Amino acid sequence: MAAYRSVRNLDWALILVAIALAGLGILQIYSATIDTAWRSAWWKQGAYLCAGFFLMWLMTRIDYHTLLGQVPALYMISLGLLVLTPLVGGYVWGSKRWIPLGFGFKFQPSEFVKLVIVLLVARYVSELRSDRLDVRDLVKLGLLVGIPGALVAAQPDLGTSLTYMPVLLAGLFFGGMRWQHAVLILVAGALLMPVGWFMLKDYQKARLETFLDPMKDPMGKGYQVIQSKIAVGAGGIWGRGVARGSQTQLRFLPVAHTDFLISAFAEEHGFVGILVVFGLYFLLLMQIVQNAQAAPDRAGMLICMGVCSLLLFHLLVNAGMAVGRMPVTGIPLPLMSYGGSSMLSVFMMLGLVNNVRLRRFAA
Amino acid sequence: MRYLRAEKDPDSIPERPLFGDETRFAAGRIAVFQYVIVTVFIYLLLGYWDLQVLNQEFYSEKAEQNQIKSLPILAPRGKILDRDGRVIVDNHESFRLILSRDSLRPAHLRPIALGLNMDPAELEAKVRRYQNQPTWFAIPLKEELSLDELAFVEAFRGQNGFPELELIRSQYRVYPKEGLAAHLLGYVGEISDAELNSPEWAHHNPGDLIGKAGVERYYNDLLSGVDGQRQVRVDNRMNTREVLGVKDAIPGRNLRLTIDLDLQVVAELAMEGKRGAVVALDPRSGEVLALVSRPAFDPNRFASRISAREFNELIQDPYRPLFNRALQAQLAPGSTFKPILALAALESGAIDDSFTVHCAGGATWYGRYFKCHRRGGHGTVNLKTAIAQSCDVFFYAVGNRVGIDTIAEYAEMVGLGARTGIDLPGEKEGVVPSSKWKIRTQREKWYAGETISVAIGQGALTVTPIQLAYAIGGIASGGVFMRPHLVRQEKPEPPARIAGFRPENVRKVVDGMCAVVNGWGTAAASRIPDIEMCGKTGTAQLASNDLLRLKNHEDWHDNAWFIGFAPGTNPEIVVAVLWENGAHGDMAAPIARDVIKAYFDKKARMKKPAQPPASLASAWLAPPALDRKKR
């Protein structure tokens, strides 16, 4: 039993890579906010990093099976929080996503729901008797993930609600979804697209339109993407140096310490810097995949792959939108973007992965 | 151990280990997923490679454009002063609103136009006009903002409103009230496309305010100075972060005119409500003392970038307020031509002192009966009485003796038929007919009967008021002709022409002109006590049919002319007056008398140094009225 908790058995490569990424993020936040009203963000981020580290340790200690056993309760609490958020939350940037905690701290339930979704999918899929998912399972799982997803989308925070999707898809994929069903879902999705279009808010439609053609409204909705591309492109191979990116420093680049942090980083550190960051992310993801392969059971594997697909999705959407290859969606770059809730939830997920790893020698 | 835990927690799931087939299945799908991860990374890296390696130069340039901004520093335009140093045209501090094209957003044009009380179509046309200019080159929108426009700009400037709006320090032109000397001073306006393409204005940029008429235009290069530039690094809120370089503006030079504001005001007041022109010159130097054209316009309206609508109103006004009658009205001189003909006759030897004509109210020449303006006739008249009483019959006979080509020769000698060369744009030549002129222009030979009309200043002969002042001033000065000019010369100019008139001939003509005012002449009512004013009235039929479409009966009246100078020998001032449709020459004489009287009154006043020169002029130079802002 002691072996489970052995510090030596932790995935140190994973932890060091995560800390390296968070460190680079703090440096970049420092550089991007050096003379703005946000200039204290870097040390706050450092504080979140410490808190995240603590939560990661906590998530490593509690056996993931215990957590899986609490999924129904966790799920109900999640729904409760998501319903509560718009009631007590104040508007920030036009949506109600946070629950104020007092002392200037606020808590974003949708970030922690990610964790619950990971556990929920892992439990549901691992409990199945068959190796193959049938249509009833698809519908049930879809609804279970869809309800909190819809609540988050209604805040409105379409970006975060979309991050639940890769977890669901990973669950279906590793749970043994039939190829025919996958095709069926794709076709149904394509058919439902026009309906979905009407459900989108105007600004969301505009973002998609902008993604397809940013020059349509260069100073309006396309502004962020254009400025971000200029920042990235101007960075060149070697970058313009720390705190020397004119796009970032002269604030042409919007939200350079949160959603567009990667653009600021790319401007100041160039393609070489991007290679380093992507290399770290690749290591991180591969490390998680390795832990999935070594997982002692189906549920552990599903937890790891859920976390992996979620982080991959974040990276794809955030780093992709910075170069105009994904629509602008306000989701953070894991570990690097400024933001406490995201930092904490990512570290907690890494804690889960470590949790699975520690128990790999079981049985 | 796992199972132990599972048993302790009844809600926990039964575990399904990854054994057997399950392992193979999961391992297979994880392998597939690894390809997904690699694909995502390749997709992303291609995006960064594309921007950072393949297109780095393109985006670096864009980033550079984002931050460097060039703001013009406007050179203040030189002031315009009168001969005594009184400021006629001044500048007032103001702001120029410019549209920065770096951050221009087409969708903003309409709300900006509406907020600034501009026509959106006009603004769009303006933006289009700058298409070929570098984007750092800003578009000037307005010179002088009203309070509500200023409030609009202040409220919506910046990143969350219209980042393209920017205010820079500027000065606007303030002209005297009620269009005083408007034609002489001219006005400033935005340079037009046609002007930009002409070599004359090649050193100007689009959006520049340039002199469009009058002194403002003629001396534009002196007055305008050279604009400077400020290069700054700005952030996306257009806040200046760093000044990279400053090129100071070179202010325009002040211009001191020869105009005497006191005389100008007297002449303006005398022409109040009339159409016509007054030109007062010092024949000794050619200095223009006053120059009036009526109706006038308010140059202040142009100073803030007049709108196309306002400009069209002025252009389409049937009374043509923009037309400078003093330089551009080409009209028959009527009897004011008689002294010139008399001199031509004496100089050419066509007549001598003893030449007399009997006037019975008319005479027949070449089969046609020509009337005299006095129906009863003047009886027997000699040169002096003929000039004094403006006897037409006498001059029919003189004209016939001299012949058209000699008349033309002398008319041209005194400056008719050619521009005087005054330093104002747009001067016209007038027409001096001759046999050669007729063949050249109409391919017909001259008929002797036409000479009879020309003899009394009718027919094809046309002059401008400034020409007439120049001609009579030169004759009265004994044949020394000075080019009229508005700006004081550092060194006196040489005469434009010296005509070797015999002094006794000049004396005879001048005596006749002095009798016009001081004897029993046509302008005897305009005599000034103690001052020997001489002159000649003229009543001329309309030369152009421009005004025939007007319904007003008075517009059909003859034009009234008066040309006067004082004193009789070595005159100091010569005044030409044109009163369109003034009916008769003696109506115009009092206007010249007022100006000449004001000249000598002021001269007398200046001799007593204790008295400050009280003048009417100050009323015109008061600060601009606030109602200018209402527009």
Side-chain angles (χ1 to χ4, degrees):
Chain A
M1 217 155 99
Y4 303 153
R5 291 175 203 152
S6 160
V7 172
R8 214 156 39 91
N9 285 328
L10 281 172
D11 188 347
W12 282 107
L14 182 75
I15 294 169
L16 288 177
V17 166
I19 291 174
L21 283 170
L24 284 175
I26 290 172
L27 285 178
Q28 191 53 48
I29 290 166
Y30 174 75
S31 163
T33 56
I34 201 156
D35 49 39
T36 70
W38 297 92
R39 72 179 78 75
S40 62
W42 71 271
W43 67 258
K44 274 194 192 165
Q45 184 79 345
Y48 288 131
L49 174 60
C50 295
F53 206 74
F54 172 74
L55 286 178
M56 179 171 72
W57 173 73
L58 215 65
M59 293 306 289
T60 310
R61 292 220 23 155
I62 309 166
D63 190 331
Y64 67 93
H65 297 102
T66 311
L67 290 172
L68 286 173
Q70 299 305 320
V71 161
L74 289 171
Y75 187 72
M76 294 319 287
I77 293 171
S78 296
L79 291 187
L81 283 173
L82 289 178
V83 170
L84 188 68
T85 306
L87 300 179
V88 301
Y91 275 105
V92 180
W93 294 327
S95 59
K96 292 180 170 177
R97 300 177 183 173
W98 286 272
I99 294 177
L101 296 179
F103 304 107
F105 287 97
K106 54 195 189 334
F107 166 68
Q108 189 178 353
S110 56
E111 277 293 330
F112 294 91
V113 172
K114 283 177 185 171
L115 220 63
V116 177
I117 300 278
V118 168
L119 292 169
L120 169 86
V121 170
R123 172 163 176 178
Y124 187 95
V125 174
S126 63
E127 267 181 347
L128 293 173
R129 295 191 181 279
S130 159
D131 287 347
R132 291 283 183 265
L133 286 158
D134 58 31
V135 176
R136 232 184 40 196
D137 295 319
L138 293 183
V139 173
K140 273 168 84 177
L141 202 50
L143 278 176
L144 281 172
V145 177
I147 290 166
L151 285 172
V152 173
Q155 285 179 350
D157 188 356
L158 187 65
T160 304
S161 76
L162 282 178
T163 63
Y164 304 163
M165 294 302 290
V167 180
L168 173 64
L169 291 176
L172 298 177
F173 181 65
F174 295 106
M177 181 171 56
R178 285 165 222 266
W179 293 110
Q180 302 95 298
H181 287 163
V183 171
L184 214 70
I185 290 176
L186 278 176
V187 171
L191 288 176
L192 282 173
M193 279 244 279
V195 180
W197 178 255
F198 286 113
M199 287 170 65
L200 287 177
K201 306 238 180 235
D202 282 345
Y203 81 93
Q204 290 164 337
K205 287 183 194 173
R207 277 180 175 177
L208 283 173
E209 281 171 348
T210 303
F211 170 59
L212 296 173
D213 181 13
M215 292 315 287
K216 193 175 157 198
D217 184 6
M219 295 309 293
K221 300 161 208 116
Y223 178 81
Q224 293 185 323
V225 177
I226 289 169
Q227 295 300 334
S228 169
K229 284 174 81 173
I230 292 173
V232 172
I237 294 175
W238 299 103
R240 309 174 100 188
V242 174
R244 288 204 171 164
S246 65
Q247 285 290 104
T248 309
Q249 299 305 325
L250 300 176
R251 281 181 273 155
F252 285 96
L253 184 64
V255 286
H257 63 298
T258 57
D259 291 352
F260 283 96
L261 184 99
I262 187 90
S263 318
F265 184 87
E267 184 184 23
E268 302 195 342
H269 301 281
F271 190 67
V272 171
I274 285 294
L275 279 179
V276 170
V277 165
F278 280 12
L280 289 170
Y281 275 115
F282 190 73
L283 263 175
L284 185 86
L285 294 181
M286 282 310 175
Q287 213 52 40
I288 297 171
V289 168
Q290 206 203 346
N291 287 324
Q293 285 169 328
D297 53 23
R298 226 163 122 93
M301 181 271 287
L302 283 163
I303 287 175
C304 291
M305 292 319 291
V307 170
C308 183
S309 57
L310 188 138
L311 293 180
L312 182 68
F313 181 77
H314 267 267
L315 183 69
L316 171 67
V317 173
N318 185 287
M321 84 180 173
V323 290
R325 296 206 164 204
M326 280 283 157
V328 174
T329 313
I331 69 171
L333 186 65
L335 297 166
M336 287 183 79
S337 289
Y338 176 72
S341 297
S342 163
M343 178 79 104
L344 298 187
S345 73
V346 171
F347 268 107
M348 282 164 82
M349 282 189 266
L350 296 181
L352 279 181
V353 172
N354 260 313
N355 194 330
V356 172
R357 180 187 171 88
L358 280 182
R359 285 157 183 85
R360 73 196 141 143
F361 304 116
Chain B
M1 198 56 218
R2 310 202 291 288
Y3 295 113
L4 197 76
R5 280 215 179 249
E7 280 158 16
K8 270 204 285 187
D9 185 351
D11 199 29
S12 177
I13 52 162
E15 291 192 16
R16 295 191 41 202
L18 282 158
F19 291 140
D21 274 359
E22 190 64 28
T23 313
R24 251 189 39 233
F25 173 77
R29 293 224 165 176
I30 287 175
V32 171
F33 192 79
Q34 282 174 323
Y35 286 113
V36 173
I37 297 178
V38 171
T39 308
V40 166
F41 273 84
I42 290 174
Y43 177 71
L44 288 176
L45 277 174
L46 281 178
Y48 286 83
W49 174 266
D50 176 33
L51 297 185
Q52 300 196 286
V53 181
L54 302 183
N55 290 302
Q56 193 232 339
E57 260 174 63
F58 173 77
Y59 287 105
S60 296
E61 217 169 275
K62 290 253 176 197
E64 220 45 50
Q65 283 168 10
N66 254 346
Q67 36 175 319
I68 308 285
K69 214 175 168 69
S70 174
L71 299 173
I73 303 174
L74 303 178
R77 208 173 163 83
K79 295 176 184 181
I80 302 178
L81 317 171
D82 91 331
R83 66 185 298 122
D84 298 326
R86 284 174 287 191
V87 178
I88 310 178
V89 180
D90 205 349
N91 295 319
H92 275 223
E93 272 302 313
S94 128
F95 284 97
R96 173 187 283 190
L97 183 66
I98 58 175
L99 191 66
S100 157
R101 285 156 69 239
D102 298 332
S103 40
L104 179 63
R105 226 169 120 172
H108 281 173
L109 285 180
R110 208 183 146 75
I112 286 175
L114 296 177
L116 295 171
N117 306 315
M118 293 172 81
D119 177 7
E122 211 175 300
L123 180 60
E124 271 167 36
K126 203 172 230 191
V127 171
R128 234 173 289 128
R129 199 182 307 152
Y130 281 73
Q131 269 169 351
N132 300 326
Q133 299 292 326
T135 48
W136 51 262
F137 204 95
I139 303 174
L141 285 187
K142 267 204 162 173
E143 282 319 296
E144 203 190 332
L145 297 173
S146 68
L147 282 180
D148 58 321
E149 286 161 359
L150 206 63
F152 166 81
V153 171
E154 284 302 327
F156 293 107
R157 203 154 58 121
Q159 191 53 34
N160 297 320
F162 304 127
E164 49 275 79
L165 290 183
E166 217 160 293
L167 284 170
I168 52 172
R169 276 163 61 97
S170 150
Q171 295 188 321
Y172 68 87
R173 262 333 213 188
V174 180
Y175 295 94
K177 282 190 276 184
E178 290 160 44
L180 176 114
H183 294 92
L184 151 70
L185 299 169
Y187 54 90
V188 291
E190 190 174 334
I191 192 164
S192 69
D193 292 347
E195 283 162 337
L196 274 173
N197 292 327
S198 79
E200 187 189 353
W201 303 101
H203 53 297
H204 279 278
N205 295 319
D208 279 1
L209 286 181
I210 57 163
K212 288 278 189 175
V215 165
E216 291 274 30
R217 173 168 187 161
Y218 198 91
Y219 289 101
N220 184 65
D221 285 351
L222 272 176
L223 288 165
S224 65
V226 182
D227 288 349
Q229 220 180 62
R230 233 164 80 92
Q231 279 216 328
V232 291
R233 251 157 76 86
V234 292
D235 64 19
N236 74 329
R237 288 171 180 79
M238 297 305 148
N239 296 320
T240 301
R241 286 300 193 86
E242 190 187 342
V243 178
L244 300 173
V246 175
K247 199 181 103 198
D248 284 324
I250 303 167
R253 276 174 52 192
N254 289 350
L255 206 59
R256 188 147 172 194
L257 299 184
T258 59
I259 295 294
D260 185 323
L261 210 44
D262 297 312
L263 258 55
Q264 180 76 24
V265 168
V266 169
E268 296 274 356
L269 284 175
M271 287 303 288
E272 194 72 55
K274 304 179 178 73
R275 263 179 296 113
V278 177
V279 179
L281 302 174
D282 183 338
R284 296 168 299 179
S285 60
E287 289 183 353
V288 178
L289 300 172
L291 191 143
V292 176
S293 175
R294 286 286 171 130
F297 56 93
D298 182 0
N300 291 305
R301 290 177 65 189
F302 291 88
S304 46
R305 296 181 195 274
I306 190 163
S307 73
R309 188 180 47 79
E310 280 181 289
F311 191 69
N312 284 336
E313 266 174 37
L314 281 169
I315 291 274
Q316 281 157 13
D317 187 327
Y319 290 112
R320 301 168 76 189
L322 293 179
F323 183 60
N324 186 351
R325 288 167 164 77
L327 269 57
Q328 296 175 320
Q330 303 177 91
L331 301 170
S335 305
T336 55
F337 184 63
K338 285 171 184 168
I340 296 165
L341 176 56
L343 186 67
L346 290 169
E347 284 288 309
S348 65
I351 60 166
D352 60 18
D353 289 352
S354 59
F355 182 79
T356 57
V357 168
H358 181 78
C359 169
T364 304
W365 290 97
Y366 305 103
R368 202 188 130 194
Y369 185 71
F370 291 86
K371 281 189 290 187
C372 185
H373 72 90
R374 185 188 280 184
R375 228 174 263 174
H378 292 94
T380 301
V381 289
N382 61 13
L383 184 81
K384 184 173 174 176
T385 48
I387 293 176
Q389 300 190 6
S390 201
C391 176
D392 293 335
V393 171
F394 180 88
F395 284 99
Y396 295 148
V398 172
N400 190 51
R401 276 189 171 221
V402 178
I404 189 63
D405 289 329
T406 309
I407 293 176
E409 183 192 324
Y410 278 89
E412 279 166 7
M413 202 183 288
V414 301
L416 304 187
R419 296 188 182 93
T420 64
I422 186 174
D423 41 359
L424 281 178
E427 190 186 2
K428 294 280 191 270
E429 301 92 341
V431 173
V432 171
S434 65
S435 53
K436 271 192 217 149
W437 167 84
K438 194 168 177 201
I439 285 167
R440 196 178 68 237
T441 59
Q442 292 164 34
R443 305 194 179 282
E444 266 184 66
K445 71 187 262 280
W446 185 266
Y447 296 106
E450 294 176 87
T451 311
I452 308 304
S453 292
V454 171
I456 58 158
Q458 299 282 359
L461 180 70
T462 61
V463 300
T464 64
I466 184 102
Q467 274 179 346
L468 216 46
Y470 172 75
I472 300 295
I475 292 171
S477 304
V480 181
F481 292 83
M482 302 299 298
R483 183 184 71 93
H485 58 269
L486 282 161
V487 169
R488 302 198 74 165
Q489 313 283 326
E490 282 172 20
K491 277 185 287 183
E493 259 186 88
R497 176 186 285 124
I498 298 176
F501 299 139
R502 282 197 291 279
E504 62 271 24
N505 288 344
V506 170
R507 193 67 249 162
K508 281 168 202 161
V509 173
V510 168
D511 281 349
M513 291 178 79
C514 291
V516 167
V517 182
N518 300 300
W520 293 105
T522 48
S526 297
R527 214 168 79 84
I528 311 171
D530 306 329
I531 294 163
E532 189 194 19
M533 173 171 117
C534 314
K536 183 69 198 82
T537 56
T539 308
Q541 282 142 27
L542 295 175
S544 88
N545 290 331
D546 277 352
L547 299 168
L548 287 185
R549 59 202 152 103
L550 298 173
K551 299 279 184 286
N552 200 337
H553 177 66
E554 284 168 15
D555 293 330
W556 293 80
H557 285 178
D558 291 343
N559 290 332
W561 285 96
F562 185 79
I563 175 76
F565 56 88
T569 42
N570 295 324
E572 295 170 25
I573 179 170
V574 53
V575 179
V577 176
L578 162 67
W579 180 0
E580 282 181 17
N581 316 119
H584 197 268
D586 56 2
M587 304 288 286
I591 297 170
R593 177 199 61 197
D594 288 353
V595 175
I596 289 174
K597 186 170 183 306
Y599 175 84
F600 285 101
D601 285 354
K602 181 171 177 177
K603 199 176 160 187
R605 215 163 51 225
M606 292 309 233
K607 279 184 182 153
K608 302 177 211 159
Q611 263 178 310
S615 73
L616 287 159
S618 53
W620 260 273
L621 298 177
L626 281 171
D627 62 350
R628 274 159 56 71
K629 299 282 183 193
K630 278 186 201 152
R631 279 188 285 104

